[in-house]
Amino acid sequence: ADMQTTTIGDLERDAVARLMAESPHIILIPGDLYQGPIDEFEQHLPAFRELLQTLHAPGGVWAVMGNADYKDGVPRLLRGTDIRLLEDEVVRFTVAGRKIALLGMSDWADLCRKGWQYTPTIVERFASRPTSDEIRLMLCHRPGWVLTLPETSNIDLTVAGHTHGGQVALPFFGPPLVLSQLPNRLCAGGLCEVEGQRLYISRGLGMERMQAPRVRFGVRPEVTLLSLSAAASTAAAPQ
């Protein structure tokens, strides 16, 4: 999550190498790839593509838009890669003998900029589908999407990013600021439950690169391996 960089360097290459060394069945990217001046985008586009082209998984590589992503830029970043961008749509596939249903949601901020109130009909339909033998995952940028789920949601796990774990965390206190509707202690990152819904918030790789200070303190960058059991209970092991 949240590569959120202007240039590709050792951090980004090492993170992708560590990820691919785990031979994941599915790769999920919860948004925010490039963040920097628009007039520098073309200059850095080849390096982004070169790195993203190394991402492969038998169950697919799936991404959603983040709030820092350029709407017109992301499809160009992903061109020539195995990464598929999901925008309010469900895909179904089988990997490692398990049936997977994956819902990828647009970024809430992008919807708000369009000037209308989003009615999460697709979320409600997906979450209310009768129990079956498939594992249901929701991929979104902002963890607040979990608050749109109905009480009887049949989604097994929501995966999000956006918070950077707070980007700065103080000892014995945690992050003083997170840009989310969820409590700071949850947005510090990791596996948690919100109103009975499983949620994994990735601390991600990068950091804010516009007006905010470019610093991470007490919040290590991460890529994460999530292991889903046959019962769809979830364990998370940051790498």
Side-chain angles (χ1 to χ4, degrees):
D2 301 290
M3 187 179 293
Q4 207 150 338
T5 183
T6 303
T7 60
I8 298 299
D10 291 341
L11 172 67
E12 292 76 24
R13 294 188 186 95
D14 181 63
V16 169
R18 288 177 180 234
L19 170 64
M20 295 309 299
E22 296 292 333
S23 301
H25 291 117
I26 310 166
I27 297 176
L28 303 179
I29 304 174
D32 279 359
L33 292 171
Y34 173 86
Q35 186 181 26
I38 296 178
D39 58 4
E40 295 182 14
F41 180 77
E42 293 291 337
Q43 173 187 347
H44 301 296
L45 179 57
F48 271 85
R49 275 198 192 144
E50 182 181 2
L51 182 62
L52 296 176
Q53 284 171 347
T54 65
L55 292 174
H56 310 281
V61 186
W62 310 93
V64 293
M65 294 283 293
N67 65 296
D69 284 317
Y70 295 134
K71 182 71 173 179
D72 297 332
V74 171
R76 299 184 61 202
L77 285 175
L78 304 186
R79 193 173 301 157
T81 75
D82 283 350
I83 305 171
R84 178 175 167 187
L85 182 65
L86 298 177
E87 296 185 279
D88 303 335
E89 58 186 305
V90 178
V91 291
R92 287 184 164 84
F93 52 91
T94 299
V95 63
R98 299 306 308 273
K99 296 178 181 178
I100 307 293
L102 172 65
L103 168 62
M105 295 305 301
S106 298
D107 180 56
W108 195 298
D110 182 57
L111 295 167
C112 292
R113 281 194 291 268
K114 295 177 181 176
W116 50 280
Q117 180 65 40
Y118 180 71
T119 303
T121 305
I122 188 171
V123 176
E124 293 171 348
R125 283 201 307 266
F126 184 71
S128 301
R129 188 178 175 89
T131 303
S132 68
D133 60 348
E134 66 183 8
I135 295 176
R136 291 197 193 93
L137 308 175
M138 182 166 75
L139 176 63
C140 51
H141 180 62
R142 297 173 188 259
W145 268 115
V146 77
L147 299 176
T148 69
L149 299 180
E151 292 182 6
T152 56
S153 168
N154 287 323
I155 293 178
D156 296 302
L157 176 69
T158 296
V159 176
H162 181 60
T163 71
H164 306 181
Q167 196 162 301
V168 171
L170 304 178
F172 311 109
F173 182 80
L177 175 67
V178 294
L179 301 178
S180 175
Q181 305 101 311
L182 300 182
N184 288 21
R185 61 182 177 80
L186 300 183
C187 291
L191 185 66
C192 61
E193 285 201 6
V194 178
E195 299 180 358
Q197 305 299 319
R198 288 190 193 92
L199 170 66
Y200 189 86
I201 304 176
S202 172
R203 298 174 184 88
L205 290 178
M207 49 192 157
E208 284 293 334
R209 293 184 173 270
M210 303 307 281
Q211 292 80 19
R214 299 184 185 183
V215 60
R216 290 183 75 128
F217 177 79
V219 184
R220 294 184 63 186
E222 71 172 19
V223 292
T224 306
L225 180 67
L226 297 170
S227 300
L228 306 181
S229 75
S233 60
T234 311
Q239 302 296 316

